[in-house]
Amino acid sequence: PMLVWSSWYDAATAAGAIHRYRTFRNPQRVYLGAWSHGATNDANPFFAPNTPVYPTREQELADSIRFFDIHLKQQPT
């Protein structure tokens, strides 16, 4: 299983994430967003400056834990 967080603005990682998603048949969850490297800042040019990053770090962590619980522990949370 693969859990992939990527930004449209982070070199070629978005293209790589999409390519892997379309190529591999294993379970995957791919998040693509308009974030800075490390998703510390929103980088969407259509949003106001200093727009909070979405999903929040707490939401990102919760989604990651849920993914790993399902695929590593084989139990939903």
Side-chain angles (χ1 to χ4, degrees), residues 1-5 16-31 63-64 66-68 70-72:
M2 287 190 283
L3 175 63
V4 179
W5 293 85
I18 292 168
H19 179 72
R20 274 193 313 271
Y21 183 79
R22 294 185 51 159
T23 305
F24 289 68
R25 297 191 184 277
N26 57 308
Q28 299 178 59
R29 180 164 296 163
V30 178
Y31 294 90
D63 286 348
S64 297
R66 186 171 29 258
F67 178 85
F68 289 115
I70 291 168
H71 295 289
L72 297 180

Side-chain angles (χ1 to χ4, degrees), residues 7-9 33-36 41-51:
S7 172
W8 293 113
Y9 304 110
W35 309 300
S36 63
N41 298 300
D42 188 281
N44 190 327
F46 299 104
F47 287 178
N50 300 319
T51 297

